């Protein structure tokens, strides 16, 4: 991977952790995620005049990605509702590459290499470090853990779908603009159903925050999808997960969450373990 691409992915990781921290800061995480997605759609709307359409071959992946992202946002809102930021974010992001690897073994009958086995053990060890707070506390936090793991399933799924879709699109900007335009619709409908139209409308005064967060989210994922067209997907995916360490630092020093140092150590273990997958994939 070229240094310039690596730097772009690292910037994307910083932006991603930042906008997720903005979601966590909101009083109602579902409404915050809805606001960010609606703002992203508004940003994308005028860009349609400049980007055109992605290739027809990418449309099935585009529609599949909209569905996966919608379910991801619902799971993510639950993870942030029940868990600390420095716990939910690293578990969700760090487990996703492992689940993709396990899926390839179970569904495609692919054999695990020694490096992949070591990576799995490393990620699981990192998660155990997160959970090293007594059985009673773990059971109290089980909703957060389950929600984060479900979130990771959708992350792994849409990463693969968009990696393929972006390459087939022949026009990554168009693919990302159409994705952003459509993703806000399902989550908006879901939020209205769960919270009511009046509650959804009430968040309009936060439009400046939503526009900022949406800009960070759009830029972050657009950079990642573009990078996946320029470098091996495992390398991009692994480097992107350095956002885990950033999230652990934000949780410890901004949100003042407990066990900050332990979670930072766990995050570093997870990132290093994911890096093994990248080396093996390369």
């Amino acid at each position: 991977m070229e240094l310039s691409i690596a730097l772009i992915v690292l910037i994307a990781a910083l932006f991603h952790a930042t906008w997720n921290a903005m979601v966590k800061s909101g009083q109602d995480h579902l409404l915050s995620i809805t606001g960010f997605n609606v703002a992203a759609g508004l940003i994308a709307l005028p860009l349609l005049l400049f980007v055109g359409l992605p290739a027809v071959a990418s449309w099935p992946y585009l529609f599949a990605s909209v569905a996966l992202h919608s379910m991801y946002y619902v799971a993510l809102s639950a993870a942030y509702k029940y868990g600390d930021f420095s716990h939910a974010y690293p578990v969700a992001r760090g487990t996703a590459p492992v689940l993709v690897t396990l899926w390839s073994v179970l569904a495609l009958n692919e054999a695990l290499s020694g490096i992949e086995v070591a990576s799995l053990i490393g990620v699981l060890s990192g998660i155990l470090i997160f959970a090293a707070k007594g059985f009673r506390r773990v059971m109290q936090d089980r909703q957060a853990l389950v929600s984060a793991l479900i979130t990771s399933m959708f992350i792994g799924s849409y990463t693969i779908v968009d990696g393929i879709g972006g390459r087939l699109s022949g026009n990554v900007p168009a693919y990302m603009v159409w994705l952003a335009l459509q993703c806000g619709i399902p989550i908006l409908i879901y939020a209205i159903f769960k919270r009511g139209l009046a509650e959804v409308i009430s968040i309009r005064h936060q439009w400046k925050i939503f526009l900022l967060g949406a800009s960070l989210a759009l830029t972050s994922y657009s950079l990642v999808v573009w990078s996946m067209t320029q470098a091996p997907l495992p390398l991009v995916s692994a480097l992107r997960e350095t956002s885990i360490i950033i999230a652990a630092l934000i949780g410890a020093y901004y949100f003042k969450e407990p066990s900050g140092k332990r979670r930072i150590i766990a995050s570093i273990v997870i990132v290093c373990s994911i890096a093994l997958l990248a080396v093996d994939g390369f």
Side-chain angles (χ1 to χ4, degrees), residues 1-279:
M1 180 186 292
E2 296 181 6
L3 178 60
S4 59
I5 296 177
L7 291 175
I8 287 173
V9 177
L10 289 174
I11 292 172
L14 174 62
F15 286 177
H16 191 276
T18 302
W19 89 261
N20 270 260
M22 295 171 71
V23 171
K24 177 62 176 176
S25 298
Q27 293 183 344
D28 188 311
H29 305 114
L30 175 60
L31 291 180
S32 294
I33 289 175
T34 301
F36 285 125
N37 275 276
V38 171
L42 294 175
I43 293 172
L45 189 59
L47 297 178
L48 293 176
L49 298 173
F50 305 99
V51 299
L53 287 170
V56 175
S58 68
W59 289 9
Y61 296 91
L62 182 61
F63 297 143
S65 180
V66 171
L68 290 168
H69 270 88
S70 299
M71 292 182 282
Y72 154 71
Y73 290 132
V74 173
L76 183 65
S77 65
Y80 287 159
K81 175 183 178 181
Y82 296 118
D84 291 341
F85 182 68
S86 59
H87 178 269
Y89 186 99
V91 170
R93 301 302 313 183
T95 312
V98 177
L99 293 178
V100 172
T101 302
L102 289 176
W103 178 83
S104 68
V105 173
L106 298 175
L108 304 179
N109 295 319
E110 295 181 354
L112 286 177
S113 68
I115 291 180
E116 287 173 326
V117 172
S119 176
L120 292 176
I121 294 174
V123 172
L124 292 175
S125 298
I127 293 174
L128 287 175
I129 294 174
F130 273 117
K133 49 189 174 184
F135 179 76
R136 178 176 297 180
R137 181 70 184 279
V138 171
M139 293 306 294
Q140 290 174 344
D141 292 347
R142 65 184 181 278
Q143 286 181 301
L145 180 60
V146 171
S147 297
L149 291 174
I150 293 174
T151 302
S152 72
M153 293 173 58
F154 293 124
I155 293 172
S157 299
Y158 75 61
T159 298
I160 294 174
V161 167
D162 287 334
I164 299 172
R167 293 178 180 180
L168 292 176
S169 70
N171 185 345
V172 173
Y175 184 91
M176 295 308 304
V177 166
W178 281 97
L179 178 62
L181 189 64
Q182 296 178 74
C183 274
I185 299 174
I187 193 65
L188 176 60
I189 295 173
Y190 180 79
I192 292 173
F193 174 76
K194 294 293 290 186
R195 300 291 190 269
L197 181 60
E199 286 292 318
V200 173
I201 294 176
S202 70
I203 64 174
R204 65 185 183 278
H205 66 279
Q206 304 177 51
W207 64 270
K208 291 182 180 179
I209 296 176
F210 292 146
L211 284 177
L212 174 59
S215 299
L216 291 173
L218 282 174
T219 303
S220 171
Y221 200 49
S222 295
L223 292 175
V224 167
V225 174
W226 175 82
S227 297
M228 288 190 292
T229 68
Q230 305 297 312
L233 194 152
L235 289 176
V236 175
S237 178
L239 189 58
R240 180 195 185 190
E241 302 312 338
T242 53
S243 62
I244 291 173
I245 298 177
I246 299 171
L249 291 170
I250 291 174
Y253 298 106
Y254 178 75
F255 290 116
K256 306 298 182 182
E257 294 172 350
S259 304
K261 293 181 179 179
R262 174 170 52 79
R263 291 179 177 181
I264 291 172
I265 293 172
S267 298
I268 293 174
V269 170
I270 291 174
V271 169
C272 291
S273 301
I274 294 172
L276 288 177
L277 284 178
V279 171

